[in-house]
């Protein structure tokens, strides 16, 4: 199975400049989309949300706060061999039982990584990023509470129209099956994402679907609607719904359905994946 994914990704990333899929003359301009962004910038969404469960009673322990901090550092202002740009990335996601008496953190997930990104234009002037990344994700705990896995990931993200941005991402998971039994079944082997600008500069909607390894079980779906109060700022008010598995690593085998509201800071452009 792993060989199949490697072969598919090698084909995707070995497309020649004179291919019918690519616009050769625009490839250099595609790099400008990364270079106009600060070398240190937002990676994934940065958010602070609070919410309640939809599939169980609402109590002090089931309502919570979820927040995420995510950034990336471009390591070079010039492309490497093949037109790739190197990046260091870091994402930290926390689940805070703020309504409980002692206000403990239920879980913190750490996700550092290294990526190389190849910007290019598809026919029709569709800006696209091809990315290869090596990542680690864990909750920083030991013993029976340890949750950890690594991945070699490949992704394509493209602005297919002025309003639509779509992405596909697949990975080869590397999991210690003794400490994390069946984790691969829940994290799966890939995900698909889409963003639609409902009203340019004001309203947008995001969807992220992750497929578990089961035929119909496992996986997750996250959707959110975002409102941008000021056109010259990149923060939004957001309503987010998550349903499925692996929202947090500690409870990856538990099915969750959470509705949350809060605010989010988004990347200035469409993000590398």
């Amino acid at each position: 199975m792993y060989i199949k994914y490697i072969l598919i990704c090698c084909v995707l990333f070995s497309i020649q400049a004179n291919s019918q899929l690519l616009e050769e003359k625009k490839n250099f301009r595609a790099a400008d989309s990364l270079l106009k962004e600060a070398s240190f910038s937002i990676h994934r969404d940065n958010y602070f949300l609070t919410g309640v469960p939809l599939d169980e009673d609402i109590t002090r322990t089931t309502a919570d706060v979820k927040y995420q901090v995510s950034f990336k550092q471009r390591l070079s202002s010039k492309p490497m061999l093949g037109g790739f740009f190197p990046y260091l990335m870091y994402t930290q996601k926390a689940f805070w039982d703020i309504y409980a008496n002692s206000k403990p953190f239920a879980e913190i997930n750490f996700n550092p990584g290294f990526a190389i990104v190849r910007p290019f234009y598809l026919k029709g002037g569709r800006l696209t990023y091809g990315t290869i990344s090596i990542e680690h994700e864990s909750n920083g705990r030991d013993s029976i509470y340890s949750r950890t896995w690594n991945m070699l990931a490949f992704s394509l993200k493209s602005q297919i129209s002025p309003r639509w941005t779509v992405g596909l991402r697949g990975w080869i998971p590397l999991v210690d099956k003794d400490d994390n039994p069946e984790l691969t079944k829940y994290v799966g082997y890939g995900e698909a994402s889409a963003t639609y600008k409902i009203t340019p500069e004001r309203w947008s909607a995001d969807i992220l679907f992750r497929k578990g390894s089961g035929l119909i079980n496992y996986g997750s779906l996250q959707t959110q609607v975002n409102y941008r109060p000021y056109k010259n700022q990149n923060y939004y008010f957001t309503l987010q719904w998550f349903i499925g598995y692996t929202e947090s690593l500690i409870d990856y085998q538990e099915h969750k359905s959470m509705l949350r509201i809060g605010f989010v800071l988004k990347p200035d452009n469409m993000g590398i994946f």
Side-chain angles (χ1 to χ4, degrees):
M1 181 180 291
Y2 293 166
I3 295 177
K4 178 182 70 175
Y5 284 113
I6 292 173
L7 290 176
I8 293 173
C9 293
C10 286
V11 170
L12 290 174
F13 286 100
S14 64
I15 299 174
Q16 299 299 315
N18 61 356
S19 167
Q20 294 299 313
L21 294 176
L22 303 184
E23 291 194 1
E24 180 180 5
K25 295 180 181 179
K26 288 187 176 181
N27 279 344
F28 180 77
R29 284 176 43 209
D32 293 344
S33 66
L34 294 179
L35 295 175
K36 71 179 181 181
E37 187 178 61
S39 59
F40 182 82
S41 59
I42 294 175
H43 176 32
R44 295 187 173 101
D45 287 355
N46 287 247
Y47 54 72
F48 190 92
L49 309 173
T50 184
V52 296
L54 299 179
D55 56 351
E56 57 182 318
D57 293 339
I58 299 173
T59 67
R60 287 178 175 270
T61 56
T62 59
D64 69 359
V65 160
K66 179 175 75 166
Y67 68 83
Q68 179 169 284
V69 177
S70 183
F71 54 84
K72 63 183 184 294
Q73 174 68 51
R74 191 180 67 246
L75 301 179
S76 174
S77 60
K78 295 182 179 179
M80 305 186 322
L81 181 66
F84 285 90
F85 288 85
Y87 280 87
L88 288 177
M89 311 168 298
Y90 180 77
T91 300
Q92 182 172 310
K93 181 168 60 174
F95 298 84
W96 187 8
D97 291 338
I98 196 172
Y99 304 108
N101 290 332
S102 60
K103 297 176 174 54
F105 279 87
E107 175 83 339
I108 302 177
N109 295 156
F110 307 91
N111 180 205
F114 172 78
I116 53 174
V117 183
R118 174 62 159 90
F120 55 90
Y121 280 97
L122 294 176
K123 287 294 184 180
R126 294 172 291 175
L127 177 64
T128 303
Y129 295 145
T131 304
I132 303 173
S133 63
I134 300 173
E135 300 178 51
H136 169 79
E137 186 176 21
S138 71
N139 62 355
R141 303 172 71 175
D142 59 10
S143 185
I144 62 173
Y145 302 106
S146 174
R147 302 288 185 271
T148 180
W149 70 300
N150 304 289
M151 72 170 83
L152 174 62
F154 308 85
S155 70
L156 288 172
K157 192 167 188 180
S158 182
Q159 188 174 15
I160 61 173
S161 76
R163 293 198 175 192
W164 278 102
T165 300
V166 299
L168 289 174
R169 191 165 185 245
W171 52 75
I172 299 172
L174 306 172
V175 179
D176 185 335
K177 295 183 179 179
D178 293 330
D179 291 338
N180 301 273
E182 296 188 322
L183 177 60
T184 303
K185 184 184 296 183
Y186 293 88
V187 298
Y189 297 96
E191 63 187 22
S193 63
T195 295
Y196 178 68
K197 295 180 180 179
I198 303 170
T199 303
E201 308 300 334
R202 286 295 187 189
W203 289 92
S204 64
D206 303 318
I207 184 169
L208 177 65
F209 172 70
R210 175 177 286 188
K211 179 66 177 69
S213 63
L215 180 61
I216 58 175
N217 296 325
Y218 315 119
S220 64
L221 176 68
Q222 179 174 291
T223 62
Q224 63 186 52
V225 178
N226 314 294
Y227 172 69
R228 187 176 191 173
Y230 303 104
K231 292 184 178 181
N232 59 344
Q233 301 292 334
N234 71 331
Y235 71 85
Y236 300 74
F237 297 112
T238 188
L239 179 66
Q240 182 189 93
W241 175 50
F242 177 93
I243 184 169
Y245 298 88
T246 68
E247 186 180 31
S248 69
L249 287 179
I250 192 68
D251 297 324
Y252 69 87
Q253 293 176 316
E254 294 185 16
H255 186 274
K256 300 284 187 179
S257 180
M258 296 291 297
L259 184 68
R260 296 185 173 95
I261 190 170
F263 67 88
V264 59
L265 297 174
K266 287 182 165 292
D268 290 329
N269 58 18
M270 65 180 182
I272 60 177
F273 60 74

